[in-house]
Amino acid sequence: MPAAVNGRRLFRQGSRRRREREHSIVRRVVISVETHAPLEIVDITAALSRTVDDVGLVEGLLVAQTRHTTTGLLINEHEPLLLADLEGLFERLAPAAAAYAHDDFSRRTVNLTPGERRNGQAHCRAALLRTSECVPVTDGRLNLGRWQAVFLVDFDAGQRREVSLTLLGSVRK
């Protein structure tokens, strides 16, 4: 039985008919992003929108998660001067030239791989951002604000990166 407020059902008859033409899904997709600059801010909004279209998600949520410890996700405005300001902020908070214990391979004993990069600043910068973002999907479109875009921020660029997407909600039958 649907929930009620002041004795009224929370959905209308039209909503019931629309629900009968839709079914629920949970879908997982991985998108790849190739980065090149030491610090790169990549707008992935169009790729997320294409995925929503490809899956046919009408109403629901898109959850994006970076699969790397030296990257982060950010929702903000795609404006070149702002992006430059963000790069300056990251440099002030975790300077590339600073000493990081993570980069002292004579002391570090865990998670070492052949050809390990000195990327302590990349890990510290990534810790300032989130590893995932959740975006509502309404009428088949990402429900972002007027100036909002979704960015993958790579602090240890020059690699192939992956963003795992989980789409939950209803699709048209």
Side-chain angles (χ1 to χ4, degrees):
M1 176 174 244
V5 174
N6 296 333
R8 293 184 160 183
R9 290 182 178 183
L10 290 180
F11 62 87
R12 295 189 185 105
Q13 189 69 17
S15 298
R16 182 180 295 161
R17 275 188 242 123
R18 185 173 57 241
R19 278 198 317 263
E20 290 169 359
R21 293 189 312 256
E22 298 173 354
H23 67 276
S24 296
I25 59 124
V26 175
R27 189 80 36 87
R28 184 175 172 273
V29 176
V30 175
I31 62 171
S32 293
V33 178
E34 204 63 45
T35 60
H36 307 283
L39 188 163
E40 194 162 339
I41 302 174
V42 181
D43 187 337
I44 61 170
T45 310
L48 301 182
S49 292
R50 275 192 304 277
T51 303
V52 167
D53 288 343
D54 292 348
V55 169
L57 189 64
V58 178
E59 300 288 333
L61 295 172
L62 179 143
V63 180
Q65 177 195 0
T66 177
R67 298 172 50 111
H68 308 279
T69 58
T70 56
T71 65
L73 293 175
L74 172 68
I75 295 179
N76 213 312
E77 183 176 351
H78 192 161
E79 191 277 312
L81 295 176
L82 173 63
L83 300 180
D85 289 339
L86 289 170
E87 289 182 21
L89 172 72
F90 294 130
E91 179 60 28
R92 286 189 304 278
L93 294 174
Y100 295 90
H102 178 76
D103 296 339
D104 185 349
F105 302 138
S106 67
R107 292 184 5 205
R108 193 168 134 211
T109 59
V110 296
N111 300 337
L112 284 168
T113 60
E116 181 86 14
R117 292 179 184 220
R118 295 189 181 278
N119 61 1
Q121 90 287 351
H123 287 282
C124 290
R125 291 173 179 185
L128 300 169
L129 297 178
R130 292 168 296 283
T131 59
S132 64
E133 290 287 355
C134 184
V135 181
V137 174
T138 307
D139 293 327
R141 299 177 55 159
L142 296 175
N143 194 344
L144 293 167
R146 179 179 179 184
W147 302 113
Q148 288 182 317
V150 182
F151 297 95
L152 171 70
V153 184
D154 191 345
F155 298 106
D156 193 20
Q159 303 181 61
R160 183 177 159 272
R161 299 305 200 161
E162 291 182 341
V163 178
S164 177
L165 308 178
T166 302
L167 298 97
L168 309 120
S170 58
V171 294
R172 297 248 187 256
K173 287 185 179 179

